[in-house]
């Protein structure tokens, strides 16, 4: 994953828990890097280790850490770093979600080694949409739930997210119904 992901985890933890807790998490994860370079690639295992260490240190389930990180990613990281690209995604939550399949295509132009997930929309209704999430990485469904909740906050639109298919179980992908 690009360093921007690890850097955003650091920002989330230090904003809520302080620098000393972040240092504990890094030590527990076996991460010695002092600074993460946003545009540099890091092993996925490092990111997973940071999330697991945050879970242990903060006594919060991994799913809770990932969901909180998804919200943080949208309302803080993406807004600050990619505000124009986010704004181009749509003026409403519904527009943004319908345009989500194209979002990572635009992002891939800026990050050529990005291995982005794919989102596929179906059953688009006035107040809901069904989204398939396909990724080479496993275990990130709670992060995606957080992304959708963060988008709800971004658009001042309360959302509920229901996971209706689970890649880790029997499905070929994760699938969600987002309602507002």
């Amino acid at each position: 994953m690009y360093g921007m992901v690890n850097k955003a985890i650091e920002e989330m933890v230090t904003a809520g828990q302080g620098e000393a807790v972040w240092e504990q998490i890094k030590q527990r994860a076996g991460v010695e890097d002092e600074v993460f370079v946003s545009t540099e690639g890091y092993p996925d295992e490092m990111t997973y280790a940071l999330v697991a260490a945050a879970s242990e240190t903060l006594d919060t389930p991994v799913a809770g850490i990932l969901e909180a990180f998804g919200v943080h990613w949208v309302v803080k990281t993406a807004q600050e770093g990619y505000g124009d690209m986010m704004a181009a995604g749509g003026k409403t939550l519904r527009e943004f979600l319908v345009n989500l399949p194209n979002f990572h295509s635009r992002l891939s132009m800026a990050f050529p080694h990005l291995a982005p997930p794919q989102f596929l929309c179906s059953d688009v209704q006035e107040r809901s949409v069904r989204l398939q999430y396909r990724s080479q990485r496993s275990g990130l469904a709670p992060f995606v739930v957080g992304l959708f909740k963060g988008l709800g906050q971004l658009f001042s639109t309360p959302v509920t997210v229901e996971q209706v298919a689970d890649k880790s179980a029997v499905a070929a992908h994760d699938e969600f119904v987002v309602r507002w």
Side-chain angles (χ1 to χ4, degrees):
M1 290 188 214
Y2 276 97
M4 72 180 94
V5 174
N6 296 337
K7 190 173 181 176
I9 293 171
E10 176 181 4
E11 291 168 355
M12 180 185 78
V13 169
T14 57
Q17 305 296 321
E19 186 68 35
V21 172
W22 173 246
E23 290 302 321
Q24 290 174 359
I25 290 169
K26 279 186 9 182
Q27 184 178 18
R28 182 172 264 166
V31 174
E32 297 178 2
D33 298 61
E34 288 299 316
V35 176
F36 296 110
V37 179
S38 293
T39 57
E40 187 174 309
Y42 294 84
D44 287 0
E45 295 76 23
M46 178 184 287
T47 305
Y48 286 121
L50 287 168
V51 169
S55 171
E56 293 171 17
T57 303
L58 301 175
D59 194 28
T60 302
V62 167
I65 298 291
L66 287 171
E67 185 174 320
F69 181 52
V71 172
H72 176 84
W73 184 263
V74 171
V75 300
K76 184 86 170 135
T77 306
Q79 272 303 98
E80 288 181 2
Y82 308 97
D84 291 341
M85 194 177 295
M86 294 288 289
K91 294 187 185 331
T92 66
L93 175 65
R94 183 179 186 276
E95 283 180 21
F96 194 93
L97 291 174
V98 169
N99 290 325
L100 191 56
N102 300 319
F103 186 77
H104 285 100
S105 298
R106 293 189 302 269
L107 198 56
S108 293
M109 292 165 42
F111 297 96
H113 300 293
L114 185 69
Q118 292 180 320
F119 287 94
L120 301 170
C121 291
S122 64
D123 197 22
V124 178
Q125 303 293 317
E126 186 62 32
R127 305 204 45 83
S128 68
V129 65
R130 181 180 287 256
L131 290 139
Q132 288 182 13
Y133 168 75
R134 297 175 183 266
S135 175
Q136 67 183 28
R137 297 176 176 100
S138 60
L140 296 179
F143 173 71
V144 176
V145 170
L147 291 176
F148 294 143
K149 289 181 177 182
L151 286 168
Q153 288 181 25
L154 184 67
F155 288 99
S156 300
T157 306
V159 300
T160 60
V161 182
E162 178 186 3
Q163 186 170 1
V164 294
D166 186 345
K167 178 180 175 181
S168 64
V170 294
H173 56 271
D174 293 301
E175 193 165 336
F176 305 88
V177 175
V178 181
R179 294 180 179 88
W180 55 91

